[in-house]
Structures are given as structure tokens and as C-alpha cells.
Amino acid sequence: MEKSAPSMLKGKVTRPAIIEMGVADAAQLAKTKTFYEALLGETKYPYRLLTDMALLCVVTSDGSTQTTIYWEVPGDGTDLKKVYDDLIKNHGCEGVHPPHKPPKEMLLKGDLELATLADAAGNVLGLVTNPPYPPLT
């Protein structure tokens, strides 16, 4: 009898890895971080939500407030591009921001790569390789 792959390996992603809270400006960012530090009891940034999930708070480029969930794509950056392209070509998604390194001000590790796209209903979702996990303390 043939064994099936674990459910986390059946799709293109393994699990949610980052929740990104977008804010309008630097003043709102400071207030948002203060709030989440109090809520989570966590002062190390990015904030650890679970052993393998982080919360980021960032200023959006257009001043909007939004939340994006980044799903981990296993493998390296070439796998991220393959998944991104496949979701656009074959699954009704539209590209928002192709695979890229995050800006340095996000204080994330250098080998991280991100991409965002919109699903068929217009919901923005993210893809990430090598997500940032602050050390457990």
C-alpha cells in the first residue's frame, strides 16, 4: 500500500509563517508596536507568536492599513518564484509584488524572500521562504 505525503506537504505551501500588520505612518507604527508588546508580553522584534510564526508591524507604501498572512514556501527562492508564477498562470491570482528581498528597515534576516499576490477574490496573501523566527528566550 502506497503511503500518502503528510497533509502539510500536499499543497504549494506548508503553513502560515508571518502575519504582517500594515499601518499608515511612523507614529501609528510606534503605537501599534507598543500595543502588541503589551498584548503579547513580547519585546523582541519581530514578535514571536508561536515557535514558528512571527508578527511584523510595518508602514505601508500607500498609507493604508492592512493585514497580510505570509505562507511558507518550502525550498529556496527559485521555489518561491515557481509557486508565485504558477498561482498567477494557473490559479486565477494576480501579482501584487513579485519575489523580492525585504527592505532593511524590516529588521529581518538577509536570506528571507517575500512575494505578494491577490487571489481570485482580490484578497492579498504573501509567500515567504526562510521566515524570520526570533530566538526563544
Side-chain angles (χ1 to χ4, degrees), residues 39-115:
L39 181 71
L40 301 171
E42 180 69 52
T43 58
K44 289 187 179 181
Y45 184 81
Y47 307 121
R48 182 181 294 279
L49 300 177
L50 299 169
T51 302
D52 55 1
M53 183 183 285
L55 172 68
L56 301 177
C57 302
V58 299
V59 176
T60 59
S61 60
D62 62 0
S64 64
T65 57
Q66 61 189 18
T67 300
T68 304
I69 297 175
Y70 283 84
W71 295 82
E72 183 177 6
V73 175
D76 61 19
T78 60
D79 296 321
L80 178 70
K81 176 134 177 59
K82 287 176 190 172
V83 170
Y84 179 84
D85 291 344
D86 178 62
L87 291 172
I88 292 169
K89 182 178 178 183
N90 300 312
H91 300 284
C93 291
E94 289 189 33
V96 173
H97 198 180
H100 64 283
K101 298 285 185 190
K104 291 187 187 297
E105 61 269 14
M106 286 181 73
L107 303 175
L108 301 175
K109 42 189 202 181
D111 53 348
L112 177 75
E113 198 165 13
L114 306 169

Side-chain angles (χ1 to χ4, degrees), residues 13 68-71 87 93 96 115-119 122-127:
V13 298
T68 304
I69 297 175
Y70 283 84
W71 295 82
L87 291 172
C93 291
V96 173
T116 52
L117 40 82
D119 67 16
N123 301 301
V124 175
L125 65 127
L127 302 174

